[in-house]
Amino acid sequence: MSQKIFNVKLYWYVLFIVISAIFIVFPQIDIYVSSLFFDGKRFTLNGTMFEEFFYYSVKPVLISLFLGSLFIFIYNKITKKTLLNLTSSVMLYIVLVLSVAPGLIVNKTLKDNWGRARPAETTIFGGKKEFTPAFVLSDQDGYSFSSGHSAAAFSLVGFALLFRKRRKLAMFVAIGYGVFVSIARVGAGGHFFSDVVTSFFIVWIATHIFYRVVFKKDSDV
């Protein structure tokens, strides 16, 4: 399956569809994964240094990367230089990566409207709201599906694609950071496993599409 659709290898679409179907058919997967972090009274990672570090790190990391990129872009414009190759196209790409997938799709479209209760809010884990399987619209007025923090963290994949050298290392760091943020959210009862997995796929696919649209070439990843 080396064929690509909008710069995304076909197997990524297939994998997303298959995994999504599994979460729908076997919703107990979400309950089981969350139960691994629940001791009967509370979610074990909630309030820990690990959880708080990764939870609160996302916003400053993204703001720093964006402002740093903007500063270099302005500097390049004023001095007529190409420091780090930060051109108008690169800035457009960065804006799309940081705003559309994690912002417009995940937060504004899904999270604000889907209604899925967070794990800690469900009766299964001591809350008062009903559990709803992934991809099923809910009337529980929750904000679990999908994960905004995970989507924002995984958006670092977009920056990794800009690396010409050591791109694999940059991608490893970007995905690793997203995984740790996702573990922190699941372990604190803030999201189900399907929430963070869905956010990853949305960001991964959207980011590669933006790369193709803006730079008119494949990312080769």
Side-chain angles (χ1 to χ4, degrees):
M1 291 187 182
S2 58
Q3 180 182 353
K4 286 188 175 184
I5 301 178
F6 296 114
N7 192 35
V8 182
K9 291 180 180 178
L10 182 59
Y11 66 75
W12 283 109
Y13 294 105
V14 174
L15 190 60
F16 187 23
I17 293 172
V18 170
I19 290 178
S20 298
I22 290 174
F23 280 127
I24 294 172
V25 177
F26 302 104
Q28 58 267 34
I29 293 175
D30 270 334
I31 297 173
Y32 172 73
V33 173
S34 289
S35 70
L36 296 176
F37 299 93
F38 189 70
D39 63 6
K41 295 182 179 179
R42 60 186 294 275
F43 281 90
T44 54
L45 289 186
N46 188 32
T48 63
M49 185 179 297
F50 174 87
E51 186 264 334
E52 291 192 349
F53 172 80
F54 283 105
Y55 178 83
Y56 289 109
S57 69
V58 176
K59 184 177 291 186
V61 165
L62 293 185
I63 290 176
S64 296
L65 285 173
F66 176 74
L67 291 180
S69 299
L70 182 61
F71 174 81
I72 295 173
F73 169 70
I74 294 174
Y75 171 81
N76 286 345
K77 282 293 184 180
I78 294 175
T79 62
K80 306 299 181 181
K81 295 182 179 180
T82 56
L83 183 63
L84 296 182
N85 198 35
L86 263 166
T87 62
S88 298
S89 295
V90 173
M91 280 306 303
L92 171 61
Y93 166 75
I94 290 175
V95 170
L96 289 173
V97 165
L98 295 181
S99 61
V100 178
L104 182 60
I105 299 177
V106 171
N107 278 295
K108 294 302 179 182
T109 302
L110 296 179
K111 189 174 179 181
D112 286 354
N113 298 289
W114 219 258
R116 189 186 199 190
R118 299 179 187 277
E121 297 175 329
T122 65
T123 55
I124 300 172
F125 299 108
K128 298 181 179 180
K129 297 182 178 182
E130 296 299 320
F131 167 79
T132 307
F135 300 98
V136 177
L137 285 170
S138 174
D139 60 357
Q140 298 301 299
D141 296 323
Y143 297 93
S144 189
F145 188 81
S146 57
S147 174
H149 270 76
S150 293
F154 282 124
S155 67
L156 292 187
V157 164
F159 287 90
L161 288 179
L162 294 174
F163 279 68
R164 294 182 177 178
K165 298 180 179 179
R166 299 185 179 179
R167 177 182 282 182
K168 290 184 178 179
L169 176 59
M171 190 64 70
F172 176 80
V173 172
I175 294 177
Y177 178 66
V179 168
F180 279 118
V181 170
S182 297
I183 292 173
R185 299 304 293 131
V186 174
H191 286 286
F192 287 104
F193 183 46
S194 58
D195 298 330
V196 301
V197 171
T198 299
S199 288
F200 165 74
F201 277 104
I202 290 174
V203 171
W204 179 268
I205 293 173
T207 297
H208 284 74
I209 291 175
F210 295 147
Y211 191 95
R212 181 69 176 84
V213 170
V214 174
F215 301 116
K216 310 299 182 184
K217 60 181 180 180
D218 287 347
S219 58
D220 297 323
V221 175

